[in-house]
Amino acid sequence: VNALSENMKVEVIRSGFLYRQEFSRGLATTELLKIEPTKKSNGTMISFKPDNTIFVENCTFSPEKIFKILEYKAYLVAGVQINWKCHPSLLTENNNLSTSKKLCFLNGLSQYIISKTSNTQMFIASSFEDTVKIDKETVEWAVRWFTEDEGSFIESFCNTVPTPLGG
């Protein structure tokens, strides 16, 4: 995003202080600035404007796609809180997105598989899930069994990014 932006601002809360740095087309335009003390414990905000020399016409974002990506991240990083905000002018009448929403799933993947299958008849009500660590790698998985009448699905992610071809 940094290299493709006319301007980008990053604000980070760390150790009780708000820090800010600004960039343009991949280069820093300010030093890292220690702005002010804050009572918030942590947080990051990134705002940017696409570079109009690269994205010349009809540069639009899909709020639906961005929201879905953020929702995946909130499920896959259990306990992280993502605050979604979208300007109302970017939302179309035929989508169900709100202009703001807090995404936080304390039980992460377990909550995801339950939400994904909540309207599906199950062979057994329980989910099976675990986290496996081998050396420095970690794999988290969850499984539910549908009845014979229901279709199935397989979803995989790598570093919170969907891998629709099985990654």
Side-chain angles (χ1 to χ4, degrees), residues 95-109:
N95 70 35
N96 294 326
L97 286 179
S98 66
T99 57
S100 65
K101 185 173 183 177
K102 180 178 91 170
L103 301 169
C104 183
F105 305 100
L106 297 178
N107 295 316
L109 189 59

Side-chain angles (χ1 to χ4, degrees), residues 120-132:
T120 306
Q121 186 151 357
M122 295 289 128
F123 182 68
I124 55 174
S126 299
S127 296
F128 296 89
E129 55 222 26
D130 199 5
T131 301
V132 178

Side-chain angles (χ1 to χ4, degrees), residues 64-77 80 82 84 97 101 103-105 108 112 115 157 160:
E64 295 84 1
K65 287 181 183 177
I66 294 170
F67 180 84
K68 194 65 180 166
I69 289 168
L70 294 175
E71 187 178 49
Y72 283 147
K73 291 181 184 315
Y75 274 117
L76 296 170
V77 182
V80 72
I82 298 174
W84 161 260
L97 286 179
K101 185 173 183 177
L103 301 169
C104 183
F105 305 100
Y112 178 69
S115 74
F157 301 85
T160 73

